[in-house]
Amino acid sequence: MSSRAVEANCDGLVGPTHSYVGLSPGNIASQINAGEVSNPRAAVLEGLTKMRKLADWGVPQFVLPPHERPDLALLRAIGFAGTDGQVLEKAWKDVPALAAAACSASPMWAANAATVTPSADTADGRVHFTPANLLTNLHRSLEGPQTARALRRLFPDEARFAVHDPLSAQSHFADEGAANHVRLCADHGDPGVNLFVWGREAFEHWEGRYPARQTREAFEAIERRHGAARGVFARQGRAAIEGGAFHNDVVCVGTRECLLFHERAFEDGAAMQDGVRRAADGMFEPVFVEVSEADLPMDDLVKSYLFNSQLLVLPGEDRLLLLAPGETRDNPRAHAVAQGLASSDGPIGRVEYVDVRQSMRNGGGPACLRLRVVLTNAQLAATNPGQRFDAVLHERLNAWAERRYRDRLAPADLADPMLIVESREALDELATILDLGGDFYPFQRAA
Ligand code: SUG
């Protein structure tokens, strides 16, 4: 029986230090664009426009706040001392790679914020969250604790929501959150199948050219602590990781009964389909839509980010909407595949495009920017209303970004102590706008 539920999207708001510093090996866009000048204001506005689309389509949309950056606590912990400005300047002078990591705006990619299990799939009937420890990359490993705080603000009611701490920070439990998890079901409120996609095993000696960021054991731990039902485990294709698909959501997206994926996405695609079919037995018939390497070679896949689209169930529409990045439209092969999907009589009814180019240049498409959370009406009503996105909040955040964000940031500008002051002022105001309380950010707690 379906209890009524919706899939809410929680988008990470781009932070004031959004920049191109090349911090992520295996993420080709991040590597190629290293050293470029970014536009943090354009980045945050693009994200807001995307959120507005979903809100206008009737999808519940929430805002997850950026984290405080630069992360001066990291720099102090590794021995830099003095005023905040001195710490930043000295770190940039002595250890620029570490200073760059401390400045990253990477919490914007909310698909990596946490793994989520909706209440229809958990043993205790609560929605469970495990913030990702993201420990493969230094700049991302800083996110977990503040993400836990952010999720506890948005989902404060412990009778309905369980926000766990991140898994412990050993490489055995390397975890990148929902980017490697897909939930399939007949209808959002129905029991679902949880497809956990991992890149390596905890005790395996990994020799790939690029890191495998998710371990099987991390997802097994999450499955246990969430009391998650109907887990299916599948290995990421090694060729996908080698080709630049550092997360499964670069080669695969799914919702409801539909799983759209590339031929190279899984090490053993047939076993994955078998596992999902068996777990779904008696509940729904999964629909597998596979795109071949011949139709979309990995190179075009990574440039176009076709699979990093949002696959949406819209109110009043039977078939799914694929919200793809503008780069998919720009790439002739990917565009042909996308249009072909929509014109066939499969589960996808239409394709729309959205520009998130600032984020894309760091390897983050529309699907990277959001965390999906299936909520019943009662759970939806128990969220922090200050973070619920609508036209009014859109206007306020647009005005805030126009006033507070720079429109030009070269990597060298990250060493500017003024950026600390500007960022804190921006985040302080944001904490009021989103009703996060006066102790949300480290600088607020220190004051
Ligand atoms: O972890 N990029 C992010 C992109 C994350 C995309 N998320 C999903 N696929 N779900 C990453 O590689 C680049 C930052 C830089 O290079 O400055 C970065 O962290």
Side-chain angles (χ1 to χ4, degrees):
M1 263 301 288
S2 171
S3 65
R4 270 180 58 75
V6 289
E7 184 182 82
N9 278 259
C10 309
D11 276 47
L13 199 61
V14 177
T17 59
H18 160 66
S19 47
Y20 301 122
V21 194
L23 296 173
S24 286
N27 172 341
I28 289 165
S30 149
Q31 298 300 295
I32 289 177
N33 295 310
E36 297 283 309
V37 174
S38 64
N39 182 338
R41 190 189 299 160
V44 71
L45 295 176
E46 283 175 351
L48 289 167
T49 301
K50 180 172 89 65
M51 293 184 224
R52 180 60 182 272
K53 267 184 190 290
L54 270 83
D56 285 351
W57 283 331
V59 178
Q61 177 69 54
F62 292 90
V63 180
L64 285 171
H67 296 189
E68 179 183 347
R69 294 290 182 272
D71 186 338
L72 294 163
L74 170 74
L75 302 179
R76 289 188 186 280
I78 58 173
F80 293 98
T83 64
D84 289 340
Q86 287 165 342
V87 166
L88 186 66
E89 281 180 324
K90 190 93 174 50
W92 270 101
K93 193 160 149 285
D94 293 358
V95 287
L98 300 179
C103 292
S104 172
S106 58
M108 66 200 268
W109 297 297
N112 305 117
T115 307
V116 185
T117 313
S119 51
D121 296 346
T122 59
D124 68 0
R126 294 189 293 169
V127 185
H128 283 249
F129 301 82
T130 290
N133 58 29
L134 290 160
L135 51 80
T136 302
N137 290 299
L138 174 63
H139 67 293
R140 303 223 60 183
S141 71
L142 309 172
E143 297 175 32
Q146 181 69 11
T147 296
R149 185 177 283 273
L151 291 172
R152 288 177 185 134
R153 286 291 145 102
L154 179 52
F155 303 106
D157 179 356
E158 289 179 15
R160 300 179 195 276
F161 307 114
V163 180
H164 299 263
D165 287 329
L167 292 175
S168 68
Q170 289 102 19
S171 80
H172 300 74
F173 302 116
D175 172 30
E176 301 268 324
N180 296 315
H181 168 247
V182 186
R183 180 174 186 268
L184 302 177
C185 54
D187 201 55
H188 291 316
D190 292 333
V193 170
N194 289 288
L195 176 59
F196 295 108
V197 187
W198 52 275
R200 65 178 168 89
E201 290 183 317
F203 294 95
E204 169 182 352
H205 179 63
W206 177 256
E207 287 185 324
R209 179 158 65 123
Y210 297 136
R213 298 196 197 181
Q214 181 82 39
T215 67
R216 177 187 187 120
E217 285 76 359
F219 269 150
E220 286 171 351
I222 289 170
E223 181 189 40
R224 273 191 296 273
R225 49 157 59 175
H226 289 194
R230 296 168 296 278
V232 175
F233 286 73
R235 186 172 192 142
Q236 257 175 297
R238 285 188 186 79
I241 299 175
E242 294 278 301
F246 50 96
H247 290 134
N248 178 250
D249 68 4
V250 176
V251 279
C252 173
V253 59
T255 198
R256 221 166 54 187
E257 73 288 352
C258 170
L259 191 72
L260 170 67
F261 59 99
H262 187 262
E263 182 183 338
R264 301 236 165 123
F266 301 95
E267 195 59 28
D268 185 344
M272 178 280 295
Q273 294 185 37
D274 226 47
V276 170
R277 247 190 229 104
R278 259 187 281 121
D281 190 34
M283 299 192 310
F284 64 97
E285 188 59 44
V287 180
F288 299 105
V289 183
E290 182 169 345
V291 176
S292 68
E293 171 73 13
D295 284 343
L296 188 64
M298 272 307 284
D299 189 43
D300 291 276
L301 178 158
V302 169
K303 286 193 183 111
S304 68
Y305 257 45
L306 166 68
F307 295 92
N308 204 256
S309 301
Q310 289 181 251
L311 197 50
L312 297 162
V313 177
L314 296 191
E317 293 189 25
D318 283 345
R319 296 207 291 162
L320 305 171
L321 175 112
L322 191 76
L323 181 62
E327 284 75 359
T328 293
R329 188 186 38 208
D330 299 343
N331 181 292
R333 284 189 150 123
H335 187 245
V337 172
Q339 296 309 118
L341 289 170
S343 59
S344 71
D345 57 3
I348 298 168
R350 59 192 177 104
V351 184
E352 295 252 343
Y353 298 93
V354 64
D355 281 339
V356 287
R357 292 185 190 273
Q358 286 286 321
S359 168
M360 279 290 290
R361 298 178 79 207
N362 258 333
C368 297
L369 288 161
R370 59 89 175 103
L371 181 69
R372 295 184 284 182
V373 185
V374 169
L375 298 169
T376 64
N377 288 337
Q379 290 159 350
L380 191 61
T383 55
N384 172 17
Q387 287 170 262
R388 180 79 186 255
F389 188 88
D390 59 13
V392 176
L393 184 57
H394 187 196
E395 286 222 349
R396 275 188 93 182
L397 291 176
N398 266 349
W400 163 82
E402 296 279 5
R403 243 182 312 110
R404 297 288 190 186
Y405 277 50
R406 296 191 188 187
D407 61 4
R408 191 176 191 286
L409 198 62
D413 299 330
L414 293 167
D416 175 5
M418 265 316 289
L419 195 59
I420 305 175
V421 178
E422 287 170 29
S423 299
R424 286 180 177 169
E425 285 175 356
L427 298 183
D428 203 37
E429 186 183 345
L430 180 69
T432 305
I433 297 174
L434 299 180
D435 198 14
L436 300 171
D439 62 349
F440 184 69
Y441 287 110
F443 70 87
Q444 294 178 312
R445 297 195 288 281

